[in-house]
Amino acid sequence: MNGTQRVVELRELLNRYSYEYHVLDDPSVPDAVYDGLMQELKTLEAADPSLVTPDSPTQRVGNTPLDKFVKVTHSRPMISLNDVFDREEVEAWVKRMDKLLPGAKHEFFCDIKMDGLAVALIYQDGLLVQAVTRGDGRVGEDVTMNIRTIPNVPLSLRKDKAFTDSAKFSRGRTEVRGEVIMLKKDFEALNKQREAEGLPLFKNPRNLSAGTIRQLDPQLVAERPLRFRAYDLLRDDPNEVPTNMSVYEALSALGLARNQQAAVFTELDDVMKFVAEWDGKRHDLPFNTDGLVVKLNDRAAYEKLGVVGKNPRGAIAYKYAAEQATTVVKDIVISIGRTGAATPVAVFDPVQVAGTTVQHASLHNADEIARKDVRVGDTVVIFKAGDIIPQVESVVTELRPKGAKPFNYEKELSKQYPELEFDRPEGEVVYRVKGATGPLLLKRALEHFASKGALDIDTLGEKNVVALVDAGLVKDMADIYALTYEQVLELDRFADISARKLIDAIADKKTPPLERFVYGLGIRHVGTQTAIDLVNHFGSLEALEHATTDQLEAVDGIGVVVAESLLAWFADEDNLALLQKFRDLGVEPFYEKKTGKLEGMNFVVTGTLESMGRDEAADKIRSLGGTFQTSVAKDTTYLVVGGKVGASKLKKAEAYGTKIIDEAAFLALLG
């Protein structure tokens, strides 16, 4: 047998074994057999690279990281479904369809709704050529290299002799839509491994799946146990897939994993029985779900009904009631949003709700706190609206501790923000910072974000910030990354060169150091060094965002005040929307642990240095792995003394045994 024939046979056999293992969950050979044949194929392809084909099992993982993701417009929008929560709403949906399709006898296709990342796979003449995320439904991102690493995604569509129509799907364009998910058991195993390695734990499979697919390095994606489950198939000729059940039969024959729970019913009573059945059994599923998909089985009728707004008329998502849990309110902290609105946030002991750990929830406003009578120390019932946003449903007053006092909103505002004044405009439920409008707060926030200590965006100083905000071009901090040269050029302050300089300076800070980005967000009580300490401890913005009170307080120098300020900031829906907007605009802060000869050393600088300013000295210390402190403490290694020094720091240093050095000795340490 020649090498070419052997390669073809190995490829076909390995693809069959992979299908049995990853799709049917019924392997016919041990792993060792698969691994041995795979090694033989790699050897033959390495000896003769001309034998390598795009759908070879050896070609799943790319070696070169991507620079960025390319935007792709979907052939047909990936639309979302209207949510319903009870039988009454399902019946109303059917009545609306009856009006548009009078006399039609409906068949209902029902399936489990998966909680993952929606992706479209495009096959041309049977070969996988592109994979695109859902994005905003109209435009997604090309994630082909990452999707190729998922073991159960076929690189070429399977030809099943028992499925007589399989050949036609290997001709022309076939689009497969589905969800990238992570099975519960794989997620738990991954977290156990991370715990053993002392790494922060991931919070839930859905966020991890979505975050993994948006990694620029396919090698990293390949290390995560992702799966793909298909739910739709599109062809240029819709008659090739007349019903949704025929789509599922085609998906299985073509080698794609799909849910096995799907069923077709002709009576609404049977649909509701299916709904009730899976309400009880959904926790036994291998993946997370928040409901079911119900749609017309007849795809021609589905298309005829069309779309209203962003939702199809011929399908709904039946959402199960949100899961509930009880926990104890430890504190109520108040967060100041970008418009000056003061939003109360309940901080409580971490509790599992709908598969995720919840530790804070917005209480919305003073009236809402009074209506529910939420007090510090109360046991409260928590639920997740739509299985997403944590809410306090009610208070278990029978468990209220003696002495728990009603929450005095105005007193707490004065206590938590003694330097600010607040008022509550007539007819409004929200307290706002007195004398500070939304635009004024935005200008201050943006000046801080662009400042030297934060992102250090050249040319984005006070006057340019004022010009951009007053012109309505910037409505939040993330908007600067959406600015165009043409927009800036129209402003009075800018000519050709200055407009280009500003746009280039902003673009240059799309991948800022994470510690500068965190400091630039302007979170109360989070200064430069605190941001550095947090980033060094957690290593990523996602880990910081989901950190518990105990995890935050475990960081040196972080007490309860800073921890609760962070929790409140990350509980604010406006702030979470801002972070998502940064991501959508391609802003990707990076973390790089600083190492060097000053690692493990703590420095305080007092007095005036001749060779550099204090900020520059701090940057040099940090760049060499050292820690810059603002005051002398027991762990301070060196007190650097410049000119015009006060006696207090010297006294403290002598008391703690801290080594006192002059500027020359400091420069020698810096090298």
Side-chain angles (χ1 to χ4, degrees):
M1 182 187 298
N2 62 40
T4 303
Q5 187 181 347
R6 179 67 174 175
V7 163
V8 170
E9 291 181 358
L10 283 170
R11 193 176 294 142
E12 288 178 354
L13 191 58
L14 286 166
N15 282 334
R16 192 185 95 199
Y17 290 162
S18 181
Y19 171 73
E20 291 170 348
Y21 186 92
H22 294 291
V23 178
L24 301 181
D25 199 22
D26 185 21
S28 60
V29 296
D31 289 352
V33 173
Y34 181 92
D35 293 342
L37 296 177
M38 174 66 88
Q39 189 54 50
E40 182 184 352
L41 180 59
K42 286 180 179 178
T43 303
L44 290 170
E45 288 182 350
D48 185 359
S50 68
L51 298 175
V52 179
T53 59
D55 63 329
S56 172
T58 64
Q59 301 303 298
R60 282 203 174 273
V61 184
N63 295 315
T64 308
L66 305 171
D67 293 323
K68 62 179 181 178
F69 293 115
V70 177
K71 301 286 185 186
V72 178
T73 301
H74 290 292
S75 60
R76 292 174 61 183
M78 293 183 75
I79 50 185
S80 54
L81 305 182
N82 268 325
D83 293 341
V84 299
F85 298 92
D86 55 36
R87 178 174 183 133
E88 202 171 285
E89 290 184 277
V90 177
E91 289 174 346
W93 167 63
V94 175
K95 283 179 183 176
R96 289 194 297 272
M97 291 193 296
D98 285 340
K99 281 184 180 179
L100 296 167
L101 299 173
K105 182 69 177 170
H106 304 307
E107 270 193 345
F108 301 100
F109 176 85
C110 303
D111 191 18
I112 310 294
K113 184 176 180 294
M114 292 167 288
D115 192 17
L117 176 73
V119 171
L121 311 182
I122 293 93
Y123 291 85
Q124 187 64 41
D125 297 329
L127 291 179
L128 178 65
V129 294
Q130 193 173 49
V132 185
T133 61
R134 180 182 181 276
D136 64 5
R138 189 180 60 84
V139 177
E141 292 178 320
D142 187 324
V143 289
T144 310
M145 295 304 294
N146 288 348
I147 293 296
R148 287 175 66 90
T149 70
I150 300 176
N152 76 331
V153 171
L155 301 181
S156 59
L157 295 176
R158 189 168 176 268
K159 295 179 178 67
D160 187 341
K161 291 176 183 176
F163 183 62
T164 54
D165 287 339
S166 64
K168 70 184 178 188
F169 292 104
S170 292
R171 294 192 298 269
R173 187 182 191 277
T174 300
E175 181 171 338
V176 176
R177 292 181 172 182
E179 300 269 335
V180 174
I181 61 171
M182 189 174 290
L183 301 184
K184 289 186 228 178
K185 65 180 179 65
D186 292 332
F187 178 75
E188 289 163 8
L190 185 60
N191 261 348
K192 278 183 183 174
Q193 180 186 336
R194 289 179 70 83
E195 187 175 24
E197 294 170 359
L199 297 171
L201 302 186
F202 294 120
K203 296 301 174 184
N204 62 68
R206 198 267 168 211
N207 288 355
L208 179 56
S209 299
T212 300
I213 288 300
R214 294 202 75 256
Q215 293 287 333
L216 292 170
D217 187 357
Q219 295 277 359
L220 186 148
V221 181
E223 293 168 11
R224 302 263 172 90
L226 299 177
R227 309 283 182 105
F228 178 78
R229 291 238 177 163
Y231 60 71
D232 203 1
L233 188 151
L234 305 178
R235 290 281 291 175
D236 293 337
D237 180 0
N239 294 319
E240 293 179 354
V241 277
T243 66
N244 283 306
M245 189 50 86
S246 70
V247 164
Y248 269 39
E249 290 164 358
L251 290 171
S252 292
L254 296 171
L256 290 137
R258 50 89 167 178
N259 287 346
Q260 299 299 315
Q261 296 82 12
V264 174
F265 305 102
T266 56
E267 300 297 330
L268 194 56
D269 282 345
D270 293 326
V271 172
M272 298 315 298
K273 284 177 187 174
F274 187 82
V275 168
E277 176 190 358
W278 285 106
D279 191 11
K281 291 163 55 179
R282 61 188 168 119
H283 297 293
D284 299 325
L285 288 166
F287 53 84
N288 286 334
T289 177
D290 58 358
L292 302 175
V293 172
V294 184
K295 51 188 174 182
L296 289 187
N297 192 35
D298 185 329
R299 288 165 73 92
Y302 177 97
E303 289 296 328
K304 192 173 180 181
L305 284 169
V307 175
V308 56
K310 292 185 177 180
N311 310 114
R313 290 191 178 94
I316 52 171
Y318 189 101
K319 292 292 187 75
Y320 290 120
E323 291 184 11
Q324 297 178 327
T326 58
T327 187
V328 176
V329 177
K330 294 167 69 177
D331 203 354
I332 298 175
V333 293
I334 299 173
S335 172
I336 307 298
R338 59 184 176 82
T339 62
T343 303
V345 174
V347 178
F348 36 77
D349 292 324
V351 61
Q352 281 280 319
V353 183
T356 59
T357 302
V358 174
Q359 58 186 333
H360 46 60
S362 171
L363 293 170
H364 304 295
N365 53 61
D367 287 359
E368 184 74 357
I369 295 177
R371 185 178 71 80
K372 292 179 178 173
D373 191 19
V374 181
R375 307 182 187 186
V376 175
D378 273 346
T379 298
V380 291
V381 178
I382 303 296
F383 75 103
K384 292 181 81 177
D387 280 0
I388 296 172
I389 303 166
Q391 305 276 357
V392 173
E393 183 180 77
S394 59
V395 176
V396 184
T397 52
E398 295 86 346
L399 296 176
R400 174 169 286 162
K402 288 179 181 178
K405 296 177 182 176
F407 189 77
N408 187 323
Y409 206 84
E410 292 191 353
K411 184 179 177 182
E412 281 299 318
L413 283 171
S414 300
K415 179 184 167 186
Q416 295 185 30
Y417 296 93
E419 77 281 13
L420 298 176
E421 285 186 61
F422 296 85
D423 63 3
R424 179 176 172 174
E426 193 174 338
E428 290 193 20
V429 296
V430 176
Y431 283 84
R432 297 183 187 278
V433 178
K434 200 171 184 178
T437 62
L440 178 60
L441 291 169
L442 174 57
K443 288 170 188 174
R444 289 177 185 169
L446 194 49
E447 284 171 33
H448 172 73
F449 186 74
S451 68
K452 199 168 185 63
L455 268 71
D456 192 17
I457 302 176
D458 190 31
T459 76
L460 191 56
E462 180 184 351
K463 290 181 179 177
N464 283 347
V465 164
V466 169
L468 292 169
V469 174
D470 286 348
L473 294 178
V474 172
K475 294 183 174 62
D476 58 43
M477 291 192 293
D479 274 345
I480 61 171
Y481 292 100
L483 288 170
T484 65
Y485 162 77
E486 289 76 16
Q487 287 175 322
V488 175
L489 191 59
E490 287 183 10
L491 302 180
D492 290 340
R493 287 185 52 80
F494 292 91
D496 176 63
I497 293 175
S498 56
R500 288 192 188 281
K501 277 182 73 175
L502 178 63
I503 294 298
D504 290 346
I506 293 169
D508 190 47
K509 296 301 165 73
K510 263 199 165 182
T511 53
L514 181 55
E515 63 274 15
R516 284 179 172 267
F517 183 79
V518 170
Y519 172 62
L521 291 174
I523 303 170
R524 188 170 171 80
H525 303 306
V526 177
T528 310
Q529 190 58 52
T530 301
I532 291 168
D533 294 340
L534 287 166
V535 167
N536 282 340
H537 184 86
F538 291 103
S540 73
L541 187 60
E542 184 186 32
L544 176 59
E545 181 181 337
H546 295 104
T548 65
T549 310
D550 291 343
Q551 288 170 335
L552 289 166
E553 289 186 48
V555 181
D556 284 344
I558 303 294
V560 65
V561 173
V562 181
E564 291 189 348
S565 176
L566 283 157
L567 285 175
W569 197 93
F570 284 112
D572 191 300
E573 290 175 34
D574 282 347
N575 293 335
L576 296 178
L578 178 67
L579 291 179
Q580 187 56 51
K581 191 169 182 179
F582 274 121
R583 294 184 190 108
D584 292 343
L585 289 168
V587 180
E588 296 180 353
F590 72 93
Y591 170 62
E592 181 180 55
K593 187 168 174 60
K594 302 288 191 301
T595 57
K597 59 184 180 179
L598 301 186
E599 194 169 354
M601 301 181 191
N602 301 326
F603 290 78
V604 173
V605 176
T606 186
T608 307
L609 299 181
E610 292 181 6
S611 58
M612 66 188 80
R614 191 171 301 195
D615 287 344
E616 189 181 349
D619 284 343
K620 287 185 182 294
I621 290 165
R622 291 171 184 138
S623 69
L624 294 171
T627 299
F628 179 79
Q629 299 176 322
T630 54
S631 59
V632 178
K634 288 180 180 178
D635 62 347
T636 304
T637 314
Y638 291 103
L639 174 63
V640 182
V641 177
K644 298 178 183 175
V645 176
S648 61
K649 284 184 179 173
L650 289 170
K651 223 173 187 180
K652 241 185 182 181
E654 287 167 359
Y656 288 139
T658 302
K659 192 167 183 181
I660 301 170
I661 60 174
D662 60 15
E663 185 170 354
F666 174 57
L667 292 173
L669 279 172
L670 294 178

